[in-house]
């Protein structure tokens, strides 16, 4: 293990230094997120800090010759034994190093992870929990961190499977979904985009009921948080609903990263499901977000990936999707 961990250092002294993010770094942080090869809007500070009361931010900035060049969105927590755990980031679906478009390669990434190990040991942090950004979100190929994780002896601790459509090669609906679409159209559904706070709250209420009924779960965001985030990112977070003569019967909240249209929340009523209205809505959404490369339906797992909701996953795959993995790795430093 020591051979693996020190192998990057054997290639020469690290050109990087690490320091914690402070509010004074906001302009540099935002600039690097915007220009990076592998960031989404979730890494902008106005998104990350909506739940700052629940997560102790411990984001890091990597500097080269004193100039900020890479970012690690992270928070600090503790394990069951009270040891410090650096997570990238506990409040986000994914994380990992945010990298510049150029001038940082696999060798540099090895140095970054070596520096991160030294930093964590100096700070009394016992382990790193690292969630790499799934490849579908990359603006340019950017899996240098996966190689560095291997070299550092990281262990895979979690793997959740999402279902995703490559919109450039959309295989279309299966036969059952085609029948659902025909049935939905017969009911004369109306699709609308929610643009006001009252509509957001109504959607959240429908979502809460649906998750409680079907999955014994609750939304990650409260209604107030979802409204706040939509106000901060109106072009990135959009809500669509589908209604019949009796009212709204389903809805989807989309996170548009430019590269991926991600279905953050999906909900429907029993009436909406019986009429196949979500099939109609998703057909509309894949057209609406055709500027994206991928349409991601989200994961279908419980217990850190150990349980697959097979029915839910097959429903998503029947709409044209196939598998993309969301992972979490752990490196122990003590």
């Amino acid at each position: 293990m020591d051979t693996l961990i020190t192998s990057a250092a054997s290639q020469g002294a690290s050109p990087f230094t690490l320091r914690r993010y402070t509010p004074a770094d906001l302009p540099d942080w935002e600039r690097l997120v915007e220009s990076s090869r592998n960031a989404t809007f979730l890494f902008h500070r106005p998104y990350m800090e909506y739940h700052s009361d629940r997560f102790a931010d411990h984001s890091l900035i990597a500097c080269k010759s004193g100039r900020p060049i890479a970012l690690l969105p992270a928070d600090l927590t503790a394990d069951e034994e009270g040891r410090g755990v650096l997570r990238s980031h506990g409040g986000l679906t994914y994380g990992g190093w945010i990298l510049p478009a150029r001038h940082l390669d696999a060798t540099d990434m090895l140095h970054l992870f070596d520096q991160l190990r030294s930093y964590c040991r100096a700070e009394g942090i016992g382990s790193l929990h690292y969630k790499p950004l799934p490849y579908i979100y990359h603006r340019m190929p950017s899996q240098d961190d996966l190689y560095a994780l291997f070299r550092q002896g990281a262990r895979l601790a979690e793997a959740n499977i999402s279902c995703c459509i490559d919109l450039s090669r959309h295989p279309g609906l299966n036969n059952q979904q085609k029948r659902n679409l025909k049935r939905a159209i017969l009911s004369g559904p109306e699709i609308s985009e929610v643009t006001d706070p009252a509509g957001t709250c109504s959607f959240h209420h429908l979502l809460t009921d649906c998750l409680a009924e079907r999955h014994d779960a609750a939304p990650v965001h409260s209604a107030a948080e979802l409204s706040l985030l939509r106000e901060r990112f109106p072009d990135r977070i959009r809500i669509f609903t589908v209604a019949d003569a009796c009212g709204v019967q389903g809805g989807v909240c989309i996170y548009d990263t430019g590269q991926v249209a991600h279905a953050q929340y999906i909900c429907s009523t029993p009436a909406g499901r019986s009429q196949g209205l979500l099939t109609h809505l998703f057909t509309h959404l894949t057209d609406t977000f055709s500027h994206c490369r991928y349409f991601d339906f989200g994961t279908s797992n419980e217990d850190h990936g150990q349980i697959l909701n097979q029915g839910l996953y097959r429903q998503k795959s029947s709409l044209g999707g196939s598998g993309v993995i969301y992972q979490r790795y752990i490196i122990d430093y003590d």
Side-chain angles (χ1 to χ4, degrees), residues 20-21 45 48-49 52 55-59 73-76 89:
R20 282 189 66 178
Y21 168 84
R45 300 306 303 194
M48 288 180 59
E49 293 176 359
S52 58
F55 297 91
D57 187 86
H58 201 101
S59 297
D75 73 295
L76 188 63
H89 176 296

Side-chain angles (χ1 to χ4, degrees), residues 109-124:
M109 183 59 71
L110 292 174
H111 283 304
L112 276 180
F113 271 91
D114 272 355
Q115 287 294 104
L116 183 56
R117 184 189 74 248
S118 297
Y119 175 89
C120 287
R121 285 178 171 172
E123 295 291 322

Side-chain angles (χ1 to χ4, degrees), residues 10-315:
S10 68
Q11 301 176 34
S14 173
F16 301 103
T17 58
L18 299 183
R19 59 179 171 82
R20 282 189 66 178
Y21 168 84
T22 71
D25 295 310
L26 178 61
D28 282 333
W29 184 283
E30 294 295 284
R31 173 181 58 81
L32 289 170
V33 168
E34 195 63 33
S35 63
S36 77
R37 68 186 190 230
N38 65 335
T40 74
F41 74 91
L42 275 68
F43 298 131
H44 284 296
R45 300 306 303 194
Y47 188 95
M48 288 180 59
E49 293 176 359
Y50 86 88
H51 49 21
S52 58
D53 59 321
R54 300 204 300 273
F55 297 91
D57 187 86
H58 201 101
S59 297
L60 299 175
I61 297 178
C63 297
K64 187 175 184 179
S65 300
R67 179 173 174 268
I69 190 171
L71 310 171
L72 184 64
D75 73 295
L76 188 63
T77 184
D79 62 18
E80 295 178 354
E81 299 176 2
R83 297 176 302 177
V85 175
L86 187 69
R87 302 187 297 185
S88 70
H89 176 296
L92 301 176
T93 305
Y94 42 69
W97 282 105
I98 297 173
L99 305 176
R102 301 180 65 183
H103 308 305
L104 197 152
D105 61 18
T107 298
D108 294 319
M109 183 59 71
L110 292 174
H111 283 304
L112 276 180
F113 271 91
D114 272 355
Q115 287 294 104
L116 183 56
R117 184 189 74 248
S118 297
Y119 175 89
C120 287
R121 285 178 171 172
E123 295 291 322
I125 297 171
S127 64
L128 169 70
H129 290 209
Y130 187 92
K131 294 184 291 188
L133 188 70
Y135 77 92
I136 57 174
Y137 293 93
H138 297 174
R139 299 168 185 167
M140 299 166 56
S142 188
Q143 293 189 313
D144 310 74
D145 57 348
L146 295 184
Y147 176 67
L149 288 166
F150 162 70
R151 290 286 295 271
Q152 290 268 316
R155 69 179 188 275
L156 180 61
E158 183 172 347
N160 296 289
I161 187 165
S162 184
C163 202
C164 178
I165 300 173
D166 183 340
L167 293 176
S168 69
R169 300 178 179 181
H170 193 344
L173 307 175
N174 73 2
N175 289 335
Q176 179 59 55
Q177 292 293 1
K178 288 177 181 177
R179 290 191 289 269
N180 288 346
L181 181 59
K182 289 181 180 179
R183 185 170 70 253
I185 291 174
L186 288 176
S187 65
E190 179 180 349
I191 294 174
S192 303
E193 182 170 2
V194 173
T195 58
D196 62 293
T200 301
C201 289
S202 295
F203 168 80
H204 193 275
H205 181 74
L206 176 65
L207 173 68
T208 301
D209 289 346
C210 180
L211 290 179
E213 171 201 351
R214 294 178 63 79
H215 305 292
D216 192 25
V220 172
H221 302 98
S222 68
E225 288 171 341
L226 186 57
S227 294
L228 174 65
L229 290 173
R230 289 194 65 239
E231 289 176 5
R232 291 180 177 179
F233 300 94
D235 298 327
R236 297 296 190 183
I237 302 176
R238 300 170 64 183
I239 296 173
F240 297 82
T241 59
V242 59
D244 62 9
C246 296
V248 172
Q249 303 295 348
V252 178
C253 176
I254 295 291
Y255 275 28
D256 179 5
T257 72
Q259 179 76 0
V260 179
H262 172 74
Q264 178 73 13
Y265 291 120
I266 303 169
C267 59
S268 63
T269 65
R273 292 190 288 276
S274 68
Q275 297 176 76
L277 296 185
L278 278 183
T279 304
H280 180 56
L281 179 54
F282 277 121
T283 300
H284 172 82
L285 292 177
T286 53
D287 289 339
T288 300
F289 292 94
S290 60
H291 60 277
C292 294
R293 172 68 186 273
Y294 299 103
F295 190 97
D296 182 19
F297 291 100
T299 59
S300 303
N301 298 95
E302 301 172 28
D303 192 22
H304 306 290
Q306 294 295 335
I307 297 173
L308 173 65
N309 186 325
Q310 297 180 27
L312 180 60
Y313 187 85
R314 284 181 173 168
Q315 180 183 22

